[in-house]
Amino acid sequence: KQEVTQIPAALSVPEGENLVLNCSFTDSAIYNLQWFRQDPGKGLTSLLLIQSSQREQTSGRLNASLDKSSGRSTLYIAASQPGDSATYLCAVLLDSTLGRLYFGRGTQLTVWP
Amino acid sequence: DTAVSQTPKYLVTQMGNDKSIKCEQNLGHDTMYWYKQDSKKFLKIMFSYNNKELIINETVPNRFSPKSPDKAHLNLHINSLELGDSAVYFCASSQTTGGMNTEAFFGQGTRLTVV
């Protein structure tokens, strides 16, 4: 059974800081890993998708890395802004034909001015 | 132009009632899902349909019945609602065949409150 853990559970920082959010998973035989953002009362927005054969993906100030063999991924947020405040969720896909995602419990990020 | 849309966004109802949540995706994906997010914000899959066929059916009370009239729609009907059904229900879709990009897209969620 796949278990996904995210550390820290919550993070509060002043704007401008560079941040690292961690995600670990127990079954390293993943197909891909996806990072999402969830704003209060809203849905999940896909941020980055990393295929199992990739080491990292970048989008703007976001960079996600994947170390499949050790069961870890990190989401790096550069020069954080108050608008980055949200819950960040990590999810792994084991079987591409099923499409089922296993989620972590998220990191709640607050960036204050 | 919303990719995955679900209605209603909020649903408040009394115990014992029957309610439905509707979901539609315009991404051309072949697979749709229902996830439940509990009070501790943990997301867990309930059902998935691939081209109108039930693929995943987690340990969910049979009061929950998904229905997929076509591959762009997946509805969730809940009978005899209980207090413990209060949660946020998310619809999602992805492409699971053809070796294509399997990125999943989610709707905005339906917050169900049973009183």
Side-chain angles (χ1 to χ4, degrees):
Chain A
K1 180 184 174 184
Q2 178 71 270
E3 291 188 4
V4 181
T5 303
Q6 291 188 245
I7 295 173
L11 187 60
S12 180
V13 299
E15 70 175 314
E17 286 205 359
N18 299 323
L19 308 172
V20 176
L21 308 183
N22 297 293
C23 172
S24 62
F25 43 94
T26 53
D27 186 343
S28 62
I30 66 169
Y31 186 83
N32 66 34
L33 182 145
Q34 203 166 345
W35 282 95
F36 293 89
R37 167 185 174 142
Q38 184 175 19
D39 293 278
K42 296 194 176 178
L44 278 66
T45 301
S46 179
L47 296 174
L48 290 164
L49 173 72
I50 311 179
Q51 302 294 347
S52 61
S53 58
Q54 297 176 321
R55 296 285 293 184
E56 65 179 315
Q57 281 285 346
T58 298
S59 176
R61 295 182 293 107
L62 304 180
N63 175 278
S65 67
L66 175 64
D67 184 343
K68 184 180 164 184
S69 60
S70 67
R72 295 175 188 270
S73 176
T74 60
L75 179 66
Y76 178 81
I77 303 176
S80 58
Q81 302 170 357
D84 294 330
S85 298
T87 296
Y88 291 80
L89 294 161
C90 165
V92 299
L93 178 65
L94 285 181
D95 186 335
S96 64
T97 60
L98 291 178
R100 171 191 184 151
L101 290 174
Y102 293 86
F103 280 87
R105 292 184 179 271
T107 294
Q108 187 173 347
L109 173 65
T110 302
V111 182
W112 39 276
Chain B
D1 192 19
T2 306
V4 181
S5 60
Q6 53 184 108
T7 56
K9 187 173 181 180
Y10 299 98
L11 188 52
V12 181
T13 187
Q14 291 186 328
M15 285 176 54
N17 283 350
D18 303 339
K19 291 292 178 185
S20 292
I21 306 172
K22 296 185 176 182
C23 180
E24 176 181 5
Q25 56 98 2
N26 63 8
L27 298 166
H29 289 160
D30 61 2
T31 305
M32 296 184 70
Y33 314 83
W34 281 109
Y35 284 83
K36 180 180 179 180
Q37 188 172 45
D38 62 23
S39 58
K40 297 183 178 179
K41 308 295 185 187
F42 184 55
L43 270 157
K44 189 175 179 183
I45 195 165
M46 300 173 68
F47 303 102
S48 80
Y49 269 77
N50 176 277
N51 284 320
K52 302 192 296 177
E53 181 183 351
L54 182 65
I55 301 298
I56 295 175
N57 185 350
E58 282 295 287
T59 309
V60 176
N62 57 16
R63 298 181 294 103
F64 290 78
S65 55
K67 284 187 173 55
S68 181
D70 56 60
K71 75 173 192 176
H73 295 84
L74 178 62
N75 303 322
L76 183 64
H77 189 74
I78 315 170
N79 290 327
S80 303
L81 278 155
E82 301 178 356
L83 292 176
D85 298 332
S86 296
V88 182
Y89 294 85
F90 285 98
C91 177
S93 73
S94 71
Q95 184 69 21
T96 61
T97 58
M100 298 174 65
N101 187 345
T102 57
E103 185 175 7
F105 292 85
F106 282 71
Q108 80 277 23
T110 295
R111 181 174 294 277
L112 172 65
T113 303
V114 182
V115 297

